Amino acid sequence: GAVTQPFGVYVHVPFCAARCDYCDFATWTDRAHLIDEYVDACVRDIERRALPLATSVFFGGGTPSLIDAHLLARILDAIDRAPGAEVTVECNPDSVDAAKFATYAAAGVNRVSLGVQSMRAHVLLELGRTHDPANVARAVDAARGAGIERLNLDLIYGTPGERPADWAATLDAALALEPTHVSAYALTVEPGTPLGQAVAAGERAAPDDDRQAAAYEFADDRFAGAGLEWYEISNWAVPGEECRHNLLYWEGGEYAGIGCAAHGHTRDRATGGSRRWWNVRTPERYIAAVAAGDSVEAADDCLDASLAAGERLMLALRTRAGIKLEGPDADLPEVHQCIQDLDAAGLVACDGTHVVLTRRGRLLANEVGARVLGAHERAADAAGTR
């Protein structure tokens, strides 16, 4: 049969039991009384949108595992999925058990992402996380017991007070669970979060760039040794186990955002441009908009063909696939020159057809991306397409 065009659905579940000190996502700890209405609103929103067949669905948050598993299943049931669609649920190791995973699996969930962050209790305390590291192994066993084989563990490095030995212990414990996928993120200090306020006040140390770089390199070696290959700066997978939903984001594909604060992306086939849009931020406003039959969108950002191409370059550069050298976006003389300079500086490697970040380039990815984007913009200015 015809290959289904990839299309993703992201569902935002904005409820949490407690707020982590580093979190600046749209989540609430005092809105549990809204859960039923919120789920109803998500289902109605999905039904009225008449979405294309989904090749991937991702429940993120917040803490999707906090809501009753049957409610999550109700939302999933409303989404028309292609055969073999990837369905991921983000879970807190504290709020899952065998029964919950059994309900998920029966509903079509086939991938679980566990918010581990660290396997060291004192590091979790620094992050304002509540789970017991032992719960992670229990959660992994419970997921596998329900037949969910695809497992991601989310890790964070560079927490104040985390020593290299702590990070090594976290990696050892995580890899001992034999996940098919690992995401490892440098702790970022966001203004307005408890961590951001403490750092600004001088009460806590800011993460150290050099130490974070060393932690990244150490992890990259450990993951490679365990058979997990990097495929995006912060993501490693057993070959074939890459997250299809995340790949859709990085390939500039199309997806819809369901729920408050969720983002969507639509491409304009005719012009080559794209439209990124996002929903109202609070669950109350989302519920009210759906009930009134109004749009749930808060705003959007429309890019013309040249800007959309620049964004695609930036996203592709973050991945192992890299930038196609002979593609229309990278074929511009200004971009070519920029890539040669980056190659000479040891930040990218060219294999004749693709340009891929070296490990050093991955550590400086934002800088490298800004240079490529700048070259792309200069090319557009020179061509008068802007």
Side-chain angles (χ1 to χ4, degrees), residues 15-382:
F15 309 104
C16 281
R19 199 177 181 89
C20 304
D21 288 355
Y22 55 90
C23 174
D24 75 335
F25 295 135
T27 68
W28 283 268
T29 56
D30 57 354
R31 301 282 199 280
H33 58 285
L34 293 176
I35 290 176
D36 288 344
E37 281 178 85
Y38 184 81
V39 169
D40 286 341
C42 287
V43 170
R44 284 180 60 184
D45 194 17
I46 291 161
E47 286 169 349
R48 69 182 184 172
R49 278 176 196 266
L51 300 168
L53 266 188
T55 53
S56 65
V57 180
F58 196 102
F59 288 87
T63 311
S65 55
L66 201 63
I67 70 169
D68 187 279
H70 295 94
L71 291 178
L72 187 135
R74 261 195 69 208
I75 300 174
L76 185 54
D77 283 345
I79 301 170
D80 285 327
R81 307 191 293 284
E86 174 189 273
V87 182
T88 305
V89 179
E90 279 187 343
C91 299
N92 180 322
D94 276 351
S95 58
V96 286
D97 56 28
K100 185 159 280 188
F101 284 132
T103 303
Y104 285 171
V109 174
N110 50 26
R111 189 172 177 278
V112 161
S113 176
L114 289 170
V116 174
Q117 317 326 349
S118 175
M119 291 289 209
R120 302 289 284 161
H122 73 272
V123 177
L124 289 170
L125 202 62
E126 280 282 335
L127 292 168
R129 298 283 297 191
T130 56
H131 69 260
D132 170 353
N135 285 351
V136 175
R138 280 199 281 273
V140 166
D141 285 345
R144 288 195 173 124
I148 300 173
E149 298 290 335
R150 302 187 64 200
L151 294 170
N152 171 56
L153 303 180
D154 268 346
L155 306 175
I156 288 180
Y157 57 89
T159 301
E162 180 179 61
R163 302 177 303 260
D166 295 323
W167 180 228
T170 287
L171 293 171
D172 284 343
L175 291 171
L177 299 173
E178 300 186 354
T180 53
H181 190 291
V182 177
S183 302
Y185 302 104
L187 179 68
T188 50
V189 178
E190 304 293 349
T193 62
L195 177 64
Q197 288 161 347
V199 169
E203 292 158 16
R204 290 169 78 174
D208 178 281
D209 285 349
D210 292 334
R211 285 182 64 176
Q212 287 197 337
Y216 180 91
E217 294 187 319
F218 183 75
D220 195 37
D221 285 338
R222 292 298 320 274
F223 295 149
L228 296 155
E229 293 181 11
W230 86 276
Y231 72 100
E232 193 271 347
I233 290 168
S234 304
N235 290 273
W236 292 259
V238 170
E241 289 295 329
E242 297 84 4
C243 176
R244 295 207 299 268
H245 189 80
N246 284 343
L247 279 171
L248 192 67
Y249 292 159
W250 299 319
E251 288 164 2
E254 294 197 294
Y255 48 92
I258 300 296
C260 64
H263 287 235
H265 180 242
T266 315
R267 282 159 76 160
D268 186 328
R269 298 268 184 285
T271 67
S274 72
R275 186 174 91 90
R276 198 171 286 290
W277 45 272
W278 50 97
N279 294 342
V280 294
R281 192 168 163 87
T282 69
E284 287 89 341
R285 287 175 61 199
Y286 180 78
I287 290 165
V290 173
D294 295 338
S295 167
V296 294
E297 283 183 30
D300 69 356
D301 190 8
C302 294
L303 303 183
D304 64 20
S306 172
L307 286 169
E311 185 173 84
R312 275 198 304 280
L313 273 181
M314 291 275 287
L315 289 167
L317 189 60
R318 295 183 62 86
T319 69
R320 190 178 58 207
I323 296 172
K324 240 201 194 80
L325 257 178
E326 302 308 316
D329 305 338
D331 227 358
L332 308 157
E334 292 84 350
V335 176
H336 254 280
Q337 181 59 53
C338 174
I339 286 167
Q340 280 176 342
D341 295 345
L342 291 167
D343 190 13
L347 297 171
V348 301
C350 306
D351 67 357
T353 58
H354 287 80
V355 181
V356 182
L357 291 171
T358 59
R359 185 150 84 177
R360 191 161 160 259
R362 280 188 264 158
L363 291 170
L364 298 168
N366 292 345
E367 209 171 297
V368 174
R371 283 170 65 175
V372 172
L373 192 60
H376 190 268
E377 285 169 357
R378 285 195 301 281
D381 287 339

